[in-house]
Amino acid sequence: MSTIAAPSATLTESQVHEAADRLVAAFAATDTAAYFACFAAEASFVFHTEPRRLDDRAAYQRLWAAWVAEGWRVESCRSSARLVQVHGDTAVFSHDVLTTTSTSGPAETTRERETIVFRLIDGDLLAVHEHLSAHPSEDVR
């Protein structure tokens, strides 16, 4: 006799938006502890600004710490054009981000697209993958 597995928990769009809001707010505040608490330990990261994929949260934390040690901080981060796709206990969140950062020099503003994959893990909705890419120029012909 075969056993049918119980269906996994189903997330709601609201839960995903709340998790994304926490992540964006922590990033915007350069709040290291709160920001990295949004990611599972095994999360992976693909950033167009980095030469290699970061294979876990610890690798990204080391990179972040190096940036902060150089005086880097986030001045602001605005999320727009949000889309949530829920797949049981996993969700794909994509949005456009307008971010201003600074170091010891003038502030720099970037416009990028980001995809974050969230997964329900032991009752917590955590990011397990983040992919950041350059946003194409609006005046491309």
Side-chain angles (χ1 to χ4, degrees):
M1 182 170 169
S2 66
T3 304
I4 298 174
S8 50
T10 300
L11 297 173
T12 65
E13 285 189 31
S14 177
Q15 288 172 299
V16 178
H17 280 289
E18 289 170 12
D21 288 344
R22 277 191 302 278
L23 191 150
V24 170
F27 179 81
T30 320
D31 184 337
T32 300
Y35 180 60
F36 284 100
C38 295
F39 295 98
E42 69 278 5
S44 59
F45 305 86
V46 177
F47 301 141
H48 66 98
T49 55
E50 294 303 313
R52 295 174 204 79
R53 179 186 63 233
L54 303 170
D55 290 336
D56 57 30
R57 183 180 64 200
Y60 183 20
Q61 284 179 285
R62 287 188 297 275
L63 180 62
W64 175 282
W67 294 339
V68 170
E70 294 172 358
W72 175 88
R73 67 185 174 115
V74 181
E75 299 288 336
S76 67
C77 182
R78 191 177 74 219
S79 170
S80 63
R82 296 169 149 216
L83 174 67
V84 172
Q85 298 168 291
V86 175
H87 305 281
D89 66 355
T90 302
V92 178
F93 173 84
S94 59
H95 63 152
D96 293 345
V97 259
L98 184 66
T99 305
T100 301
T101 58
S102 65
T103 53
S104 56
E108 178 183 349
T109 299
T110 56
R111 186 172 175 211
E112 296 160 307
R113 288 183 175 158
E114 182 175 50
T115 299
I116 304 169
V117 178
F118 288 99
R119 182 147 190 246
L120 195 57
I121 302 172
D122 298 327
D124 292 324
L125 189 54
L126 298 174
V128 294
H129 179 74
E130 182 177 25
H131 185 169
L132 188 66
S133 61
H135 194 289
S137 174
E138 289 186 353
D139 57 273
V140 173
R141 294 180 176 42

